[in-house]
């Protein structure tokens, strides 16, 4: 079972205000640096077979903070997990974009969206390349690997929608906050979404060979779902249930007054 940790980059000065897209030279701000440092500390006990990043600076910085202190582990760049190509929307204020007719299509019917202008990408094409990247890394690293991909909100939501068997039009029901952690465990039969938009808590349940996650554990095949009220992803260590909270007050709740789509880079 290959486990991928999907991390959205930390906050930048433009997050929530401008659709940065592939605009270069947008680094993490002080808040984003603090988020990345906190996440790196949370993930420190967890061995990572690879750390993969979007080529954009805000992701490379976030991944670099996570890689620091891991005995020289390098960050590998993969364009396929880069931001959606927003075309003419790139660099535009979100408040302005929210008045465009296409905004409502992005909200309700993203599978029909191709962003305008030269280089504008369709959202299905974005999902296809991102999911293909995950599957490729799964095959490259092998069935026992746990690895990390640092990417962007829309990309992560598209990958999660695929893993849940949802149509891309449902991806706007998924949230991926800055420096949140989403975990998907891929088995031969199906993916399991283990965590989604997690902004706090430990990683004991993600450690290699934790009881209940080995292939064939408890007499069941690795691809089998819990049946009959089983604990599912809950772990028991030394006979005690893992009740570590999955959220933390360390990060602020997104402002409900902002546009509801996670199309914020």
């Amino acid at each position: 079972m290959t486990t991928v940790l999907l991390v959205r980059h930390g906050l930048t000065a433009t997050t929530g205000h401008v659709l940065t897209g592939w605009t270069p030279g947008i680094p993490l701000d002080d808040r984003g640096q603090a988020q990345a440092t906190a996440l790196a500390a949370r993930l420190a006990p967890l061995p990572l077979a690879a750390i993969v990043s979007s080529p954009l600076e805000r992701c490379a910085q976030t991944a670099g903070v996570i890689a620091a202190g891991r005995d020289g582990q390098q960050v590998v760049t993969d364009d396929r997990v880069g931001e959606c190509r927003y075309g003419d929307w790139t660099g535009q204020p979100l408040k302005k974009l929210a008045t465009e007719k296409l905004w409502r299509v992005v909200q309700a019917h993203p599978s029909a969206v191709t962003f305008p202008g030269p280089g504008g990408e369709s959202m299905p094409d974005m999902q296809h390349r991102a999911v293909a990247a995950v599957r490729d890394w799964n095959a490259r690293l092998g069935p026992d690997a746990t690895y990390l991909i640092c990417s962007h909100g829309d990309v992560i939501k598209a990958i999660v929608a695929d893993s849940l068997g949802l149509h891309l039009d449902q991806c706007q029901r998924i949230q991926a906050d800055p420096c949140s952690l989403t975990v998907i465990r891929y088995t031969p039969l199906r993916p399991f979404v283990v965590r989604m938009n997690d902004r706090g808590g430990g990683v004991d349940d993600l450690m290699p060979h934790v009881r209940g996650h080995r292939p064939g554990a408890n007499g069941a095949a690795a691809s089998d779902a819990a049946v009959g009220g089983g604990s599912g992803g809950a772990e028991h260590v030394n006979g005690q249930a893992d009740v570590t909270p999955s959220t933390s007050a360390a990060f602020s709740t997104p402002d409900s007054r902002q546009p509801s789509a996670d199309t914020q880079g």
Side-chain angles (χ1 to χ4, degrees):
M1 296 178 289
T2 310
T3 301
V4 57
L5 280 59
L6 301 173
V7 171
R8 184 180 171 186
H9 64 80
L11 283 163
T12 72
T14 62
T15 303
H17 304 287
V18 176
L19 186 60
T20 49
W22 277 75
T23 305
I26 298 177
L28 301 179
D29 62 14
D30 290 344
R31 300 169 301 166
Q33 288 281 0
Q35 288 176 323
T37 300
L39 179 59
R42 287 177 57 204
L43 297 179
L46 186 65
L48 297 174
I51 300 176
V52 182
S53 176
S54 158
L56 291 166
E57 184 173 358
R58 53 198 185 271
C59 282
Q61 279 186 298
T62 304
V65 173
I66 294 169
R70 287 180 174 265
D71 295 324
Q73 186 169 14
Q74 299 298 304
V75 176
V76 181
T77 299
D78 191 333
D79 286 353
R80 296 174 297 175
V81 297
E83 181 62 285
C84 186
R85 280 73 165 176
Y86 295 119
D88 289 348
W89 276 30
T90 302
Q92 297 293 318
L94 289 171
K95 286 185 178 179
K96 176 181 180 294
L97 294 175
T99 66
E100 300 280 346
K101 290 183 179 179
L102 185 61
W103 182 268
R104 298 313 309 164
V105 186
V106 171
Q107 295 296 311
H109 195 22
S111 66
V113 171
T114 298
F115 290 98
E121 184 177 28
S122 76
M123 292 193 74
D125 282 350
M126 175 271 288
Q127 182 186 44
H128 176 75
R129 63 170 165 83
V131 171
V134 171
R135 295 288 186 175
D136 180 43
W137 280 103
N138 288 352
R140 190 183 309 186
L141 296 173
D144 296 324
T146 296
Y147 70 102
L148 183 145
I149 292 177
C150 187
S151 188
H152 307 266
D154 280 347
V155 178
I156 292 171
K157 289 161 58 176
I159 294 170
V160 172
D162 172 79
S163 68
L164 290 172
L166 297 177
H167 194 282
L168 182 60
D169 288 347
Q170 306 303 317
C171 77
Q172 300 296 25
R173 300 184 181 203
I174 299 164
Q175 190 150 322
D177 291 324
C179 259
S180 62
L181 177 66
T182 293
V183 181
I184 304 172
R185 186 166 280 123
Y186 287 85
T187 76
L189 182 61
R190 60 166 68 88
F192 291 90
V193 177
V194 179
R195 299 191 187 187
M196 198 159 52
N197 199 40
D198 170 16
R199 298 183 296 171
V203 293
D204 287 350
D205 60 315
L206 304 179
M207 296 298 288
H209 304 306
V210 169
R211 182 167 52 145
H213 281 314
R214 291 194 307 274
N218 302 322
S223 299
D224 288 351
V227 177
S231 62
E235 297 301 336
H236 292 75
V237 181
N238 297 326
Q240 299 296 318
D242 178 7
V243 293
T244 305
S246 62
T247 58
S248 170
F251 304 109
S252 59
T253 302
D255 188 341
S256 61
R257 294 170 296 179
Q258 293 291 341
S260 57
D262 197 26
T263 311
Q264 299 177 7

